[in-house]
Amino acid sequence: MIVDLERRSVVYILEDRSVASVARWLEQHPSVEIVSRDRGGLYAQAAREGAPQARQVADRFHLMQNLRVAIEEQMSLGGRAAGRALLPDKGIGSAQIDPIQDDPHVAHRRRVRHAHRQSRQAVFDTVHALACPIRRSHVAPATAGAASRNG
């Protein structure tokens, strides 16, 4: 979804979440000067390819989200500061045991990231499904063109 953050309005809803789609839209709108994005590498790459002139920034929402995630990770590791070992005893000297895989904190973070990714995909699918009638009526491309000319 392309959003004009200054005007607080949706400009365009992309067909998918691919680097190619985002980069193509940005190439078609060379007046874009700033790209505000989350910390996902997909959008960073798309901005580099589609709008190399644009500066990439994080908006207030994503800055707060990054802070929240960092605090949660530090809080979940709080016991380590109390002297617990970073590696479990069974991992020392054994090439067959992967201490990263055995770390319950790492496994938990992976599950959380996977659930978050699924949640984002579900939201994207819902928005995309709702946008299909709009796209067929050609409202979104005209809106996108007007927004890029105005801004």
Side-chain angles (χ1 to χ4, degrees):
M1 180 183 309
I2 306 292
V3 178
D4 182 331
L5 293 177
E6 289 177 344
R7 293 180 181 87
R8 298 178 185 222
S9 63
V10 174
V11 175
Y12 190 72
I13 298 175
L14 298 164
E15 291 291 329
D16 57 29
R17 296 179 52 169
S18 71
V19 170
S21 292
V22 177
R24 186 172 35 255
W25 190 91
L26 288 169
E27 286 170 353
Q28 293 169 355
H29 300 86
S31 63
V32 173
E33 296 174 357
I34 298 173
V35 174
S36 179
R37 61 172 182 81
D38 63 10
R39 59 187 179 184
L42 176 136
Y43 297 114
Q45 181 181 348
R48 281 191 304 271
E49 291 177 13
Q53 78 285 357
R55 186 168 46 142
Q56 296 186 40
V57 299
D59 59 30
R60 203 173 331 169
F61 170 80
H62 288 103
L63 288 173
M64 294 306 294
Q65 185 180 42
N66 293 346
L67 177 62
R68 181 188 54 80
V69 168
I71 290 171
E72 286 175 355
E73 286 179 0
Q74 287 303 309
M75 296 299 287
S76 70
L77 301 175
R80 290 186 181 173
R84 286 194 329 206
L86 290 175
L87 298 175
D89 289 338
K90 66 180 180 177
I92 298 174
S94 172
Q96 295 177 340
I97 296 178
D98 181 359
I100 300 299
Q101 292 295 332
D102 291 346
D103 187 338
H105 298 297
V106 171
H108 173 72
R109 285 193 302 267
R110 282 189 184 133
R111 285 191 303 273
V112 168
R113 277 195 307 268
H114 181 69
H116 183 66
R117 195 171 321 136
Q118 286 179 322
S119 172
R120 283 194 327 253
Q121 185 63 46
V123 169
F124 174 81
D125 292 342
T126 301
V127 169
H128 193 264
L130 293 171
C132 283
I134 295 171
R135 191 174 291 110
R136 280 188 219 113
S137 69
H138 300 291
V139 171
T143 303
S148 68
R149 283 190 298 276
N150 293 333

